[in-house]
Amino acid sequence: MEAHEVSALHDAMRRYGLPGVLTPVDPLNLAGRWHVLDDARGGRDITDATIEAAAVAALRRPTRGFVTVG
């Protein structure tokens, strides 16, 4: 995942309660690639699973509105 995508994924993770820690692959290059780890100690890379979970959660979220039956 590229650096410009991090903010949107971070927002989705917070919104939908998804676990994980976003960290740069190279700590000296914050503009480079990022990934999601399952814990802050450098655990498993769960980037693909987190992106997929965020996409699924976004589709399932109810939206406000009215339902009319007519």
Side-chain angles (χ1 to χ4, degrees):
M1 167 180 46
E2 298 300 322
H4 65 277
E5 300 168 304
V6 171
S7 179
L9 183 57
H10 180 259
D11 290 344
M13 289 170 68
R14 278 194 346 230
R15 184 178 309 119
Y16 306 126
L18 301 173
V21 179
L22 284 158
T23 60
V25 173
D26 176 4
L28 300 177
N29 182 12
L30 299 181
R33 296 195 49 80
W34 286 61
H35 54 196
V36 182
L37 301 177
D38 64 352
D39 65 35
R41 292 170 288 166
R44 261 183 330 123
D45 184 343
I46 57 170
T47 304
D48 293 336
T50 303
I51 291 171
E52 183 177 337
V56 169
L59 293 174
R60 290 186 183 168
R61 296 298 281 192
T63 57
R64 293 183 183 186
F66 296 96
V67 175
T68 58
V69 179

